[in-house]
Amino acid sequence: MSSTKVILIGGGLAGLMAAIRVAELGHSVDLFSVVPVRRSHSVCAQGGINAAKNLKGEGDSTWQHFDDTVYGGDFLQNQPLVKGMCEAAPGIIDLLDRMGVTFNRTPEGLLDFRRFGGTLYHRTAFAGATTGQQLLYALDEQVRRFESEGKVRKLESWMFLSAVLDDAGVCRGVSAVSLRSGEVRTFPSDAVIVATGGIGAIFRQSTNSVACTGSAQSALFQQGVHYANPEMIQVHPTAIPGEDKCRLISESVRGEGGRVWVPKAAGDGRDPRTIPDAERFYFLEEWYPKYGNLVPRDVATRAIHKVVYELGLGIDGKNMVYLDVTHLPREMLTRKLGGVLEIYEKFVGLDPRDHPMKVFPAQHYTMGGIWVNNENQATNVPGIFAAGECEYQYHGANRLGANSLLSCLYGGMLAGPAAVKYAQSIAKSAESVSSAVYEREQKRQEEIYDRLRSQQGEENPISLWKEMGETMTQHATVIRYNKDLQAADAKLAELQDRYHRINLADTGRWGNQSLHFTRELGNMLVLARLIVQAAALRDESRGAHYKPDFPDRDDEHWLRTTRAEYDNGSFKFQFDPVDTSLIPPRKRSYTSS
Amino acid sequence: MAEAKTILVRVKRQAGPQDTPQWEEFSIRWRPNMNVIACLIDIAENPVTSDGRKTTPVSYEANCLEEVCGACAMVINGHSRQACSALVDHLEQPIRLEPMSKFPLVRDLVVDRQRMFNDAKRMRCWVPIDGTYAIGPGPRIAPERQEVAYALSRCIFCGNCLEVCPKVNEHGDFVGAAIVNQVRLFNMHPTGAMHAHERLRAVRGPGGIQECDNAQNCVKACPKGIPLTESNNDVNRQALLDSILGWMFH
Ligand SMILES: Cc1cc2nc3c(=O)[nH]c(=O)nc-3n(C[C@H](O)[C@H](O)[C@H](O)COP(=O)(O)OP(=O)(O)OC[C@H]3O[C@@H](n4cnc5c(N)ncnc54)[C@H](O)[C@@H]3O)c2cc1C
Ligand code: SF4
Ligand code: FES
């Protein structure tokens, strides 16, 4: 068999795993990333990764993991691949363990597991409280090994701009820009895997990293790649509000015994440490006795919202509640949660071992993403595959904590070999495609840049970005009303209009960050509109998508995947049936004890 | 109303590797809990110097904004550190921002730290596994040992330890404390240890551990509290034994 070259966009967990699989099969990889891959957003993951290893004698099973995941996602997932993922999980943990991930251990030297939200089992393997960092490093190191053997070529500080599509609509490579020199180039290849992660920047202050803009997903969408369930956006209940970003305080803090509360009396301004237990309202424990502080994220987020906005019990009258670990042993806190508590200490200046933390919900994750099929991560465009947070397959209407790292790895494991297989099966390879196809795409991209450089007007990209973020956070997160969503869409359309009047202070080529950011901003606005339009259409409440005017789940009409197609500036929606062949949908409720 | 509080930030600008650096000063509106990155975003939104001259947004690197990706290292008020965890209220003003000096400059505050990744490659900083196939669990590891390894493996490749090291300069090519620490980490792992000899040979080679003259600036500059002096001593000892006993020592 001849050797194929696969292009990989993104070197987070999903991209690196796919790269390893392709290289391992003897093929070569061009790996593109806006940041050096070791600095990818996956390093932010704190709490852990799920696998039903059942090492705690609880009778856990991969089926139970599957059931928790589907139930947690409010039945919006196509079930077969989710089952596959849960079954593969224990083997994936073994693989990571062999790669040298410094997972926490039991006294017997085995892997330790902690509890996470939406399950009653200890199912989450962890490396201190910087699990994503440790996982990403292990994969980065394996990829470096393949790099030293010449099987992987890294193109770091290169930003993907578009797919190169031939006249038949088949993907023949990509166009990208060097963030250093500003040069735009095309790169031929027979298969492309997209693993560009989350879209937090659309909400501006999210828990995501700077590079999580969703620009690549949006560019592909505008080229004809379908996008599914855009409206499914996860808001994490516990983050530290911040000027530049909202820093996450991981669910693992509650997994290890952290408790959420507010003072029972509105406006109680006392030092929280002096407020006696009887005068504290542990609302999650009271409302959800069985799961307590470990209800799924959508449930916890709405509860906090209610406590703050409906009951008026936010700390000091502000949007904040306490997340308290001061009752837990210091040594354990440092050993198991050091990495997270350090973040609070560094950025707030108080030691959470002594002071209850003040937290509030923030945009955290997108369940929706690039549409892929139910077998092998292929999109609807031949030659384009997707894996990781950028695709929609595994989490339905709400993702359970510690399931994302898993879905990234599983998706990457499937996408790598699938891309190779596809590349080897096509009759005509990229080499035989006319160079005019590549020249055409390069020219199109250069023209977009030229236009941005020469635009006149009074607008500034950062200001537009802030307005977009505010609109999205206000109207498209925890609570949604149709009239607000429509107003948000109108606002976004206005921003798109003003976008053409952005006047760049810097029109040079070398290292011009604001130019590339502006490029991304245009794409973010498209994705933002897609999110609010899809949210407006779904008249029900399911998982993270909650409309007070339609408070119940409506399986009859809405047990459907939203699937969007770009159509000359507007969007066409279709609603596909969901494959619920393995676990029949049942009512989702965490209240009973 | 009282006048809004402002912050003064001076940035050492350089358009490209061949250009001459120059300082620009910006005045920024103070808000609670600001870090240096928030200041740089403000400058991008309004790229005008404090004397009213229009300029370009400042180029800088950042990703995680919570001190775990390593991207945002720069020299702040003379100290090499991460910009995202540099809180404005804790900094003396005017705040001075400069690029790191030990790495090739790209533009403004952006430098190219590729050499660290290249050195990691040279030192074979990975656990050599047979493949990704399902071949069972990894080796058992005692919790005490895991805790030591975890502390070492939190290195974010920021390069602060290289920036402050007197032996990393135009003349010397010392790999730096971070890479020596990586050698220790991988030699500690039961499977990683199978390559210990190659790693130790490389770490004794040009730019290797012998260049270190124990100034111990690295350990003070490391934002992740990595025990770099200890790693250095440990690898030194291993390298010595390896040079005397060769593979028999492993
Ligand atoms: C604070 C935080 C904590 C979390 N904790 C957990 C946890 O404990 N457990 C869990 O399971 N999940 C957790 N998650 C979710 C999880 O971290 C992410 O979903 C996951 O890491 C995404 O990985 P990825 O490989 O899809 O993308 P990323 O890691 O985001 O990588 C994306 C890659 O794409 C590249 N890229 C992006 N755009 C372009 C472009 N245009 N051109 C070229 N390259 C591009 C980037 O450079 C990067 O290399 C957490 C998330 C956050 C925000
Ligand atoms: S050892 Fe510390 S200072 Fe050096 S690169 Fe690693 S984290 Fe940065
Ligand atoms: S932005 Fe990641 S360390 Fe500062």
Side-chain angles (χ1 to χ4, degrees), chain A residues 350-385:
Chain A
L350 289 173
D351 184 348
R353 295 167 193 84
D354 300 321
H355 301 264
M357 295 176 270
K358 292 181 183 176
V359 296
F360 196 67
Q363 194 279 343
H364 181 60
Y365 186 84
T366 172
M367 278 73 72
I370 294 172
W371 181 89
V372 290
N373 70 11
N374 291 349
E375 284 135 49
N376 65 2
Q377 309 291 134
T379 70
N380 61 304
V381 172
I384 304 183
F385 298 76

Side-chain angles (χ1 to χ4, degrees), chain A residues 443-459:
Chain A
K443 192 150 168 280
R444 188 171 80 93
Q445 294 306 326
E446 279 169 351
E447 279 168 8
I448 299 178
Y449 270 117
D450 289 343
R451 214 163 39 238
L452 281 181
R453 280 204 189 85
S454 58
Q455 260 175 214
Q456 298 296 319
E458 64 298 333
E459 299 289 353

Side-chain angles (χ1 to χ4, degrees), chain B residues 95-127:
Chain B
I95 300 168
R96 283 172 295 122
L97 307 181
E98 298 169 69
M100 293 169 112
S101 63
K102 303 278 174 84
F103 301 94
L105 183 112
V106 177
R107 177 177 170 173
D108 294 339
L109 302 171
V110 181
V111 295
D112 184 345
R113 282 167 285 179
Q114 185 58 38
R115 69 165 277 190
M116 294 184 75
F117 300 120
N118 291 346
D119 284 336
K121 203 185 308 169
R122 218 157 48 83
M123 302 287 167
R124 306 172 81 90
C125 294
W126 54 74
V127 172

Side-chain angles (χ1 to χ4, degrees), chain A residues 66 68-80 82 85 229 392-400 403 559 561 578-581:
Chain A
F66 171 43
D68 281 342
T69 302
V70 168
Y71 187 68
D74 226 347
F75 294 91
L76 199 62
Q77 298 103 317
N78 293 300
Q79 294 176 359
V82 180
M85 170 180 86
N229 293 340
Y392 94 110
Q393 183 65 252
Y394 297 91
H395 307 291
N398 173 60
R399 170 175 72 85
L400 288 192
N403 259 353
L559 184 51
T561 298
V578 178
D579 181 345
T580 55
S581 55

Side-chain angles (χ1 to χ4, degrees), chain B:
Chain B
M1 226 178 84
E3 210 177 312
K5 237 166 98 178
T6 57
I7 309 158
L8 280 187
V9 180
R10 286 198 190 131
V11 188
K12 191 174 176 189
R13 310 284 313 259
Q14 190 170 339
Q18 314 307 337
D19 298 276
T20 26
Q22 57 189 46
W23 287 86
E24 283 183 346
E25 189 185 77
F26 300 90
S27 139
I28 289 159
R29 188 171 58 85
W30 177 90
R31 276 104 62 210
N33 296 326
M34 282 179 98
N35 59 5
V36 164
I37 300 293
C39 296
L40 291 166
I41 297 175
D42 271 31
I43 295 175
E45 188 171 9
N46 183 26
V48 177
T49 62
S50 53
D51 51 13
R53 206 170 38 78
K54 279 196 180 163
T55 180
T56 52
V58 177
S59 288
Y60 63 95
E61 275 187 89
N63 199 28
C64 70
L65 302 181
E66 51 191 57
E67 209 186 66
V68 68
C69 80
C72 66
M74 58 182 73
V75 178
I76 302 173
N77 288 351
H79 300 285
S80 186
R81 58 179 296 187
Q82 298 310 102
C84 63
S85 55
L87 303 182
V88 163
D89 293 348
H90 299 176
L91 294 171
E92 202 177 296
Q93 285 191 39
I95 300 168
R96 283 172 295 122
L97 307 181
E98 298 169 69
M100 293 169 112
S101 63
K102 303 278 174 84
F103 301 94
L105 183 112
V106 177
R107 177 177 170 173
D108 294 339
L109 302 171
V110 181
V111 295
D112 184 345
R113 282 167 285 179
Q114 185 58 38
R115 69 165 277 190
M116 294 184 75
F117 300 120
N118 291 346
D119 284 336
K121 203 185 308 169
R122 218 157 48 83
M123 302 287 167
R124 306 172 81 90
C125 294
W126 54 74
V127 172
I129 60 163
D130 286 351
T132 62
Y133 322 105
I135 42 183
R140 284 199 187 193
I141 292 175
E144 296 72 28
R145 207 177 160 83
Q146 178 272 341
E147 270 164 47
V148 176
Y150 175 69
L152 307 182
S153 71
R154 293 185 64 204
C155 167
I156 57 177
F157 276 58
C158 57
N160 288 314
C161 55
L162 274 73
E163 177 68 15
V164 299
C165 176
K167 300 300 279 190
V168 176
N169 53 44
E170 293 111 84
H171 317 294
D173 53 358
F174 177 42
V175 293
I179 302 296
V180 172
N181 175 67
Q182 292 285 312
V183 168
R184 178 180 178 207
L185 171 65
F186 288 97
N187 283 4
M188 253 187 94
H189 188 273
T191 317
M194 295 173 190
H195 277 180
H197 178 59
E198 280 111 315
R199 271 184 220 109
L200 292 170
R201 216 170 38 194
V203 90
R204 285 200 312 269
I209 194 161
Q210 68 285 354
E211 300 281 333
C212 168
D213 67 3
N214 221 6
Q216 304 201 13
N217 293 354
C218 52
V219 73
K220 287 174 228 135
C222 176
K224 294 286 117 179
I226 296 173
L228 294 170
T229 317
E230 202 184 290
S231 291
N232 212 54
N233 293 341
D234 186 86
V235 173
N236 226 337
R237 188 189 51 83
Q238 289 187 41
L240 190 68
L241 281 175
D242 182 81
S243 70
I244 300 166
L245 301 174
W247 58 268
M248 283 193 313
F249 148 64
H250 301 288

Side-chain angles (χ1 to χ4, degrees), chain A residues 263-315:
Chain A
K264 277 186 177 160
D268 185 339
R270 281 178 290 174
D271 179 335
R273 290 170 297 178
T274 65
I275 300 179
D277 230 30
E279 293 169 39
R280 299 175 177 192
F281 183 20
Y282 292 97
F283 51 95
L284 291 175
E285 295 168 36
E286 231 163 87
W287 291 341
Y288 308 100
K290 189 167 167 193
Y291 287 81
N293 291 289
L294 286 174
V295 284
R297 291 174 182 171
D298 57 326
V299 178
T301 293
R302 279 194 293 274
I304 292 173
H305 215 264
K306 179 169 169 177
V307 159
V308 169
Y309 293 113
E310 286 178 35
L311 309 181
L313 291 177
I315 305 167

Side-chain angles (χ1 to χ4, degrees), chain A residues 240 341-352 355, chain B residues 33 87 90:
Chain A
I240 321 167
L341 302 183
E342 228 170 64
I343 291 180
Y344 194 84
E345 222 173 328
K346 281 205 174 166
F347 289 92
V348 180
L350 289 173
D351 184 348
H355 301 264
Chain B
N33 296 326
L87 303 182
H90 299 176

